[in-house]
Amino acid sequence: MFFRRIRGLFSNDLAIDLGTANTLIYVRGRGIVLNEPSVVAIRQDHDGGRKTVVSVGEDAKAMLGRTPQNITAIRPLKDGVIADFTVTEKMLQYFIHKVHESRMIRPSPRVLVCVPCGSTQVERRAIKESAAGAGAREVYLIEEPMAAAIGAGLPVAEARGSMVLDIGGGTSEVGVISLNGIVYSQSARIGGDTFDDSIINYVRRNYGTFIGEATAERVKHSIGSAFPGSEVLEIEVKGRNLAEGMPRSFTLNSNEILEALQEPLSGIVSAVKIALEQTPPELGSDVAERGIVITGGGALLRDIDRLLAEETGLPVVIAEDPLTCVARGGGKALDMMDERGLDFFASE
Amino acid sequence: MDNDDNAQFAPSLMIDSADERTDSPGRQLRYARERRSLTLERVASDLRLSIAIVTALENDDYSGLPSPVFVSGYLNSYARLVGLDPAPLLAHYRGVRPTVELPVCGPALPKITTIRSSHLLMRLMSGAVILALTSGVTLWWINHRPQDAILPVAPQVMPTTPTAPAAPPAHSSAIPPDVMAPLPLPNRPAPPAIDAPVVPPTSAPLPAPSPPPAPSSEPRPQRGRDSGSLVADATAADATAIASAPPPPVVKKNREVAVSFKAPCWVDIRDASGRFKLIGEMRKGTRHVLAGEPPYSIIFGNATAVDMRVDGKVFDVRAQSRGNIARFKFDSTE
């Protein structure tokens, strides 16, 4: 403990958005320094059965679905929470080292981790333990809607209701915030991964072809949209034809993807509608007057704001740089914590 | 329908907007809207905003509008609605309001900044409190321990003499001839009985010091006389004996006090000078003769197991005990 404190003097405080799809790290005073996929590739030795980490992040993501028998590329987080504790710990350890790579001394930073508001106590404890195991001196947790709202620049301290919708890789979080607190929050286990799965299923059903997750994600990024647009985009993809067993190429258009995404999108829309129903009327009127703010990678889905605006009848706004909102919000919270905590931490 | 319009008008408007790039975002939006013959009401309902907000956007009057994140979003939506490229508008807007108000993000803070027991300050404070408590308790114990030993003794010494009527005859047996003679004088010599612990050894050779304490001793002899008990006579006799015959007191002073134990007993015996100490658990059958200077402060943990003899005569320890613990002060010179 004591040595951790000493090492802490040589470490920067971090805010980590430990997401299902991507992990972002905000370093105090430096901004966002790491944005890598939450993927770890592990090699299992033939004889000893010992497991070693081969690569983490971008490199590991490139291996997804392309690994030999002795290597597995794992996404250790699922639905916004830890699915594989040990691998998550290794991944965090790697990332923390990476942002401190110039340091001679092993880092021991204070870490703020964003957690889904719907996560259970056990899941939160797991995240905390995992960060502590990765070398964090102290671990703080912040709920994602709050971090997203702060990161998006919403006036969270005011006595006015602000609604934020954070569509992440594994979960979508709706939160109504007023006076620095969450008035209502709801977490739906629908996110970018669900979109990918829907696309995979759609393609298999309608084209009799099996495509991988990486391809589905590429399709989503290129031509995915949430609302019928004026122009129809097309993309050529290759997959394994289930009848022939051979790789075949075919063309998908944006309307098909829109159709494929209907189910997860309606899940998100209904989560927002429920949140609006549950919001106290005063706060609801504030939200109606100013609108809903969307953050997270899901906000990049074309016309998702139009879909929500049509469905709810409220103005919908996409935050600037929505991918990094949560991490930036965590970073701001970290800064504020340090400012407020100066008198507490003066002895350090 | 809007979408078709977008597709139709977008190219020409893009060119226009390039020409008007130096214009403020509000003016560009208004031109674009008027070109497309859209009314304010139509735009407001499409954007789900109030007309006041749309007007404020067109007039570049951002003072009454909500925080920048919303304004950016509104500008973005408005630009897309009228077929403008939102990027330059937003860049212009950021130029107008470069200082994006940071929200006071106290939200997470109350949760996060709670000071924990592991905090250094808390540790130091609790350490200081524990230290203060420990030293306080130690000081109290050091200061109060001797008093504890003395306090119960003072009242207990008194009853011993009356409750042990056997003793006086023993005392007086050596002195009976003098008893009658000094009887009128007991008023003065009586005090040594009280102040005995200190006075006798020094006063023994010189009878002179006995008169000074007389005033304080007056009530006592009176009580003795009123009750007419033998005690008073005995003490008086002692006193007169001291006064009249120096050799006998020397004999009394050196009375031998021996304690022996019939069963294991915890013992704490200290003499007045502090040089002689007998502390610890005594086994069955052990015998000790007390040395050092009387009076002794005595504690027996198991009073029934103690056989205490003064000059070979049994001293009733049980009369001093409460429960099975005897705690008293004993002056062997009396």
Side-chain angles (χ1 to χ4, degrees):
Chain A
M1 187 65 205
F2 179 71
F3 289 111
R4 281 194 168 195
R5 202 178 284 273
I6 297 278
R7 293 206 312 269
L9 294 175
F10 301 94
S11 313
N12 290 320
D13 295 344
L14 309 175
I16 301 181
D17 173 13
L18 189 60
T20 315
N22 291 297
T23 296
L24 284 86
I25 298 188
Y26 177 103
V27 178
R28 198 156 63 90
R30 284 165 59 196
I32 290 175
V33 295
L34 184 134
N35 181 356
E36 293 214 38
S38 309
V39 186
V40 183
I42 292 174
R43 174 189 287 123
Q44 182 149 24
D45 294 346
H46 288 296
D47 41 342
R50 211 166 64 85
K51 288 180 177 176
T52 45
V53 174
V54 180
S55 64
V56 183
E58 289 291 353
D59 300 343
K61 195 185 179 187
M63 297 182 188
L64 266 180
R66 297 188 174 97
T67 52
Q69 275 187 343
N70 63 332
I71 295 178
T72 28
I74 302 173
R75 298 180 63 175
L77 289 118
K78 200 168 166 57
D79 296 337
V81 293
I82 291 177
D84 190 324
F85 185 85
T86 325
V87 176
T88 309
E89 193 176 305
K90 291 280 174 206
M91 187 181 77
L92 274 178
Q93 204 168 14
Y94 173 85
F95 286 149
I96 290 174
H97 276 248
K98 194 168 179 183
V99 299
H100 285 99
E101 60 192 349
S102 58
R103 306 294 167 89
M104 299 283 286
I105 299 170
R106 197 154 68 88
S108 181
R110 286 189 298 166
V111 169
L112 179 127
V113 189
C114 309
V115 291
C117 58
S119 56
T120 63
Q121 200 178 12
V122 177
E123 290 162 344
R124 286 174 192 219
R125 176 68 63 89
I127 287 174
K128 224 171 168 174
E129 297 270 322
S130 171
R137 184 163 88 252
E138 282 175 71
V139 186
Y140 308 101
L141 300 179
I142 184 170
E143 293 194 328
E144 270 170 20
M146 180 57 87
I150 296 170
L154 288 176
V156 289
E158 284 179 17
R160 309 196 67 173
S162 308
M163 180 178 273
V164 65
L165 167 64
D166 178 55
I167 307 173
T171 57
S172 293
E173 321 259 334
V174 195
V176 179
I177 291 152
S178 173
L179 286 173
N180 296 332
I182 294 180
V183 180
Y184 173 86
S185 68
Q186 172 73 43
S187 181
R189 301 212 161 181
I190 301 168
D193 290 350
T194 331
F195 296 158
D196 296 346
D197 289 343
S198 301
I199 293 171
I200 291 171
N201 290 335
Y202 177 87
V203 171
R204 190 171 52 198
R205 228 177 17 245
N206 293 280
Y207 287 86
T209 306
F210 190 66
I211 56 168
E213 280 178 29
T215 309
E217 194 178 5
R218 190 162 55 86
V219 169
K220 177 182 73 180
H221 287 166
S222 313
I223 61 166
S225 74
F227 198 75
S230 52
E231 50 183 344
V232 175
L233 301 168
E234 288 189 343
I235 189 173
E236 189 177 308
V237 289
K238 295 181 181 68
R240 188 184 71 207
N241 188 293
L242 291 171
E244 299 172 23
M246 292 291 129
R248 289 282 177 265
S249 114
F250 56 98
T251 307
L252 286 170
N253 67 43
S254 53
N255 284 341
E256 287 174 312
I257 301 306
L258 175 66
E259 192 185 333
L261 297 180
Q262 275 314 301
E263 195 187 327
L265 286 173
S266 64
I268 291 172
V269 168
S270 67
V272 173
K273 283 183 174 172
I274 291 170
L276 287 166
E277 280 171 21
Q278 302 284 331
T279 306
E282 285 299 333
L283 298 177
S285 72
D286 292 339
V287 173
E289 189 187 324
R290 295 186 298 171
I292 303 167
V293 177
I294 313 181
T295 66
L300 297 175
L301 188 66
R302 195 172 293 107
D303 287 337
I304 188 138
D305 53 338
R306 290 192 68 182
L307 170 77
L308 283 162
E310 289 293 332
E311 292 286 342
T312 60
L314 302 179
V316 177
V317 161
I318 292 174
E320 283 178 45
D321 198 3
L323 269 175
T324 60
C325 269
V326 172
R328 281 186 288 126
K332 281 183 195 169
L334 202 63
D335 288 345
M336 293 299 290
M337 177 192 77
D338 209 47
E339 279 171 29
R340 289 212 182 173
L342 265 184
D343 26 0
F344 297 139
F345 297 109
S347 56
E348 284 186 5
Chain B
M1 208 177 62
D2 286 347
N3 300 325
D4 297 341
D5 291 347
N6 280 352
Q8 200 180 341
F9 288 101
S12 62
L13 285 171
M14 286 301 200
I15 295 159
D16 289 343
S17 66
D19 296 338
E20 295 159 359
R21 197 147 288 175
T22 47
D23 260 356
S24 71
R27 215 170 302 164
Q28 288 186 50
L29 288 169
R30 187 161 61 224
Y31 287 148
R33 174 176 64 79
E34 284 166 356
R35 245 182 230 129
R36 302 192 65 177
S37 347
L38 290 170
T39 60
L40 264 178
E41 289 77 16
R42 172 74 192 280
V43 169
S45 77
D46 280 2
L47 295 176
R48 277 118 191 141
L49 294 171
S50 65
I51 294 174
I53 290 181
V54 178
T55 317
L57 286 174
E58 288 190 354
N59 294 336
D60 298 313
D61 176 17
Y62 305 119
S63 55
L65 296 179
S67 50
V69 58
F70 290 107
V71 179
S72 307
Y74 300 158
L75 287 174
N76 193 2
S77 309
Y78 196 170
R80 278 192 300 166
L81 180 74
V82 294
L84 287 180
D85 181 12
L89 293 184
L90 292 175
H92 197 287
Y93 169 67
R94 279 191 214 105
V96 176
R97 289 192 67 171
T99 50
V100 177
E101 299 162 24
L102 283 179
V104 182
C105 54
L109 307 179
K111 229 184 273 175
I112 295 166
T113 53
T114 47
I115 189 161
R116 293 168 174 235
S117 58
S118 61
H119 196 272
L120 187 66
L121 190 70
M122 288 301 290
R123 287 186 172 183
L124 285 175
M125 278 171 65
S126 14
V129 169
I130 291 171
L131 200 70
L133 278 175
T134 319
S135 49
V137 168
T138 316
L139 278 175
W140 180 86
W141 188 70
I142 288 168
N143 291 338
H144 286 70
R145 193 176 50 109
Q147 288 176 17
D148 275 354
I150 293 164
L151 277 174
V153 172
Q156 281 175 4
V157 170
M158 296 281 101
T160 53
T161 31
T163 50
H171 278 234
S172 54
S173 60
I175 329 153
D178 301 332
V179 171
M180 295 313 291
L183 206 66
L185 298 173
N187 300 5
R188 262 165 286 164
I194 297 169
D195 299 334
V198 189
V199 181
T202 50
S203 66
L206 299 171
S210 55
S216 66
S217 67
E218 275 180 5
R220 184 170 173 73
Q222 276 173 3
R223 197 184 59 187
R225 229 190 314 177
D226 293 345
S227 62
S229 71
L230 284 172
V231 182
D233 295 353
T235 49
D238 287 351
T240 47
I242 290 163
S244 57
V250 176
V251 175
K252 281 185 185 176
K253 227 187 284 179
N254 291 336
R255 281 193 300 170
E256 183 196 67
V257 182
V259 282
S260 56
F261 302 91
K262 292 175 272 184
C265 172
W266 193 87
V267 171
D268 182 341
I269 301 174
R270 293 157 200 256
D271 75 333
S273 65
R275 264 171 289 168
F276 173 78
K277 282 179 187 166
L278 180 64
I279 300 172
E281 190 175 323
M282 300 297 142
R283 291 196 186 153
K284 179 184 173 184
T286 47
R287 184 174 183 279
H288 289 276
V289 177
L290 303 194
E293 265 179 44
Y296 300 100
S297 149
I298 301 177
I299 302 171
F300 290 122
N302 182 9
T304 51
V306 180
D307 179 20
M308 180 167 165
R309 282 165 195 271
V310 181
D311 271 350
K313 292 183 183 103
V314 176
F315 179 82
D316 188 7
V317 177
R318 244 174 284 175
Q320 311 290 334
S321 66
R322 193 159 45 171
N324 197 19
I325 298 165
R327 194 187 277 255
F328 60 98
K329 204 157 198 182
F330 181 76
D331 189 351
S332 59
T333 58
E334 285 175 6

